[in-house]
Amino acid sequence: MGKVTTAVIKDKKLKKEKITMLTSYDFPMASLVEAAGIDMILVGDSMGNVVLGYNNTLAVTMDDIIHHTRAVVRAVNNTMVVGDMPFLSYHISTQEAVRNAGRIIQEGGAEAVKLEGGTERVDTVKAILDAQIPVMGHIGLTPQSVNQFGGFKVQGKDEATARKLIEDARAMAEAGVFALVLECVPTPLAKRVTEEVDIPTIGIGAGPYCDGQVLVINDMLGFLKGHIPKFVKKFANLEPIIMDALTAYKEEVEMGVFPAPEHGFTVDAEVLDKLY
Ligand code: KIV
């Protein structure tokens, strides 16, 4: 696989080739994602939930995103890296938005940024694009609006929110985003948006007709027990495997089984003799 760029992503829609994206937050995971040939890594503010232990994404900071983006970027050659713009990093003014997007590119090393919102973010997207920074849009269930939505709810189930979704998709496409995440959107509505806009749609809980798919990697690998969203398929179930390893380690250390001779280092007897 060659280097994935925004042009490659847009071209995939024209060629009707599906686009793959996963989140990653650190070097080892990003190395595996690159080795698997996934098109894009999103250093998502979902790190708030799956890495940093918060209940939502609102506490994630610019410094968190930059720190994790740098680790991911060090792991990849071909995979395109998109850095997520955290809550309040693009809401206060377009100037602040451009500066923060620039930090994700300049300090983090990402190749594009993602931000949440529709018609209300058009000026922000245009300002960031003016600074030559590619932007990925994100509409539907936008987790940074969880308090306004009153919870994590599927968007577009009634006429008003369905119309708003279509309007947001059009606005983002016209503003110039290179791709658009559709999160928790009914399948037929995601199909309609995908057919209507000429930029690729990347679905998460938005059915099979999107131009690509994204998942939070910790969820799809089954890293932790507990609630995962209905739209996630667990492609692996790592939690019991990791627990078995941790339990075995504890038992073997406590019983003196680990470390075994082969895990230790030798030294010449004459060196030891000189010590006494
Ligand atoms: O932060 C994130 O991981 C995301 C994806 C769910 C699209 O925004």
Side-chain angles (χ1 to χ4, degrees):
M1 176 176 96
K3 174 71 197 148
V4 179
T5 61
T6 54
V8 170
I9 296 300
K10 287 196 228 169
D11 205 39
K12 281 200 158 200
K13 176 162 181 138
L14 297 176
K15 292 183 181 154
K16 298 193 185 327
E17 290 173 12
K18 291 283 185 187
I19 298 160
T20 52
M21 180 159 91
L22 284 171
T23 66
S24 296
Y25 317 97
D26 60 25
F27 183 93
M29 199 64 93
S31 307
L32 295 175
V33 173
E34 155 108 355
I38 302 293
D39 294 314
M40 287 187 283
I41 289 178
L42 171 66
V43 186
D45 64 357
S46 52
M47 71 175 68
N49 301 90
V50 299
V51 174
L52 302 177
Y54 300 124
N55 282 337
N56 55 47
T57 58
L58 300 179
V60 174
T61 64
M62 277 296 300
D63 287 344
D64 291 331
I65 294 286
I66 289 169
H67 177 74
H68 287 272
T69 302
R70 287 164 69 98
V72 164
V73 164
R74 284 194 282 269
V76 305
N77 290 314
N78 293 326
T79 313
M80 180 173 167
V81 178
V82 181
D84 219 358
M85 296 199 69
F87 178 58
L88 277 196
S89 69
Y90 55 97
H91 304 74
I92 293 164
S93 69
T94 49
Q95 258 187 334
E96 265 195 54
V98 174
R99 196 172 306 283
N100 285 324
R103 284 190 66 200
I104 293 172
I105 304 297
Q106 201 168 44
E107 298 173 41
E111 292 149 298
V113 298
K114 175 173 83 58
L115 57 78
E116 297 181 4
T119 51
E120 70 285 5
R121 297 288 163 231
V122 165
D123 291 345
T124 310
V125 168
K126 285 185 176 162
I128 297 172
L129 290 173
D130 259 1
Q132 312 304 314
I133 299 170
V135 181
M136 174 179 279
H138 182 166
I139 61 172
L141 196 180
T142 44
Q144 291 171 14
S145 313
V146 58
N147 292 325
Q148 200 180 30
F149 288 149
F152 295 102
K153 295 179 184 158
V154 177
Q155 298 297 304
K157 282 182 87 74
D158 56 62
E159 189 184 335
T161 56
R163 282 194 189 284
K164 165 83 174 124
L165 190 96
I166 293 172
E167 211 186 312
D168 284 343
R170 286 185 187 140
M172 283 293 105
E174 276 166 29
V177 300
F178 74 94
L180 186 59
V181 171
L182 304 180
E183 178 163 355
C184 281
V185 169
T187 301
L189 198 55
K191 181 171 187 279
R192 160 95 192 264
V193 168
T194 301
E195 284 163 0
E196 194 171 315
V197 295
D198 57 2
I199 47 159
T201 58
I202 315 285
I204 172 160
Y209 304 108
C210 295
D211 299 302
Q213 297 292 327
V214 57
L215 283 175
V216 170
I217 197 157
N218 296 48
D219 292 343
M220 60 85 78
L221 290 179
F223 239 82
L224 284 184
K225 271 197 203 135
H227 171 78
I228 54 164
K230 165 186 154 84
F231 57 75
V232 176
K233 175 173 174 181
K234 274 194 190 179
F235 285 82
N237 193 15
L238 296 188
E239 188 270 344
I241 296 172
I242 295 171
M243 277 313 294
D244 282 353
L246 302 184
T247 312
Y249 168 75
K250 176 177 155 65
E251 273 172 22
E252 290 197 14
V253 170
E254 288 174 351
M255 290 166 59
V257 175
F258 175 83
E262 66 269 26
H263 303 118
F265 301 96
T266 56
V267 58
D268 286 343
E270 55 199 58
V271 174
L272 282 183
D273 286 347
K274 286 189 189 142
L275 300 178
Y276 298 105

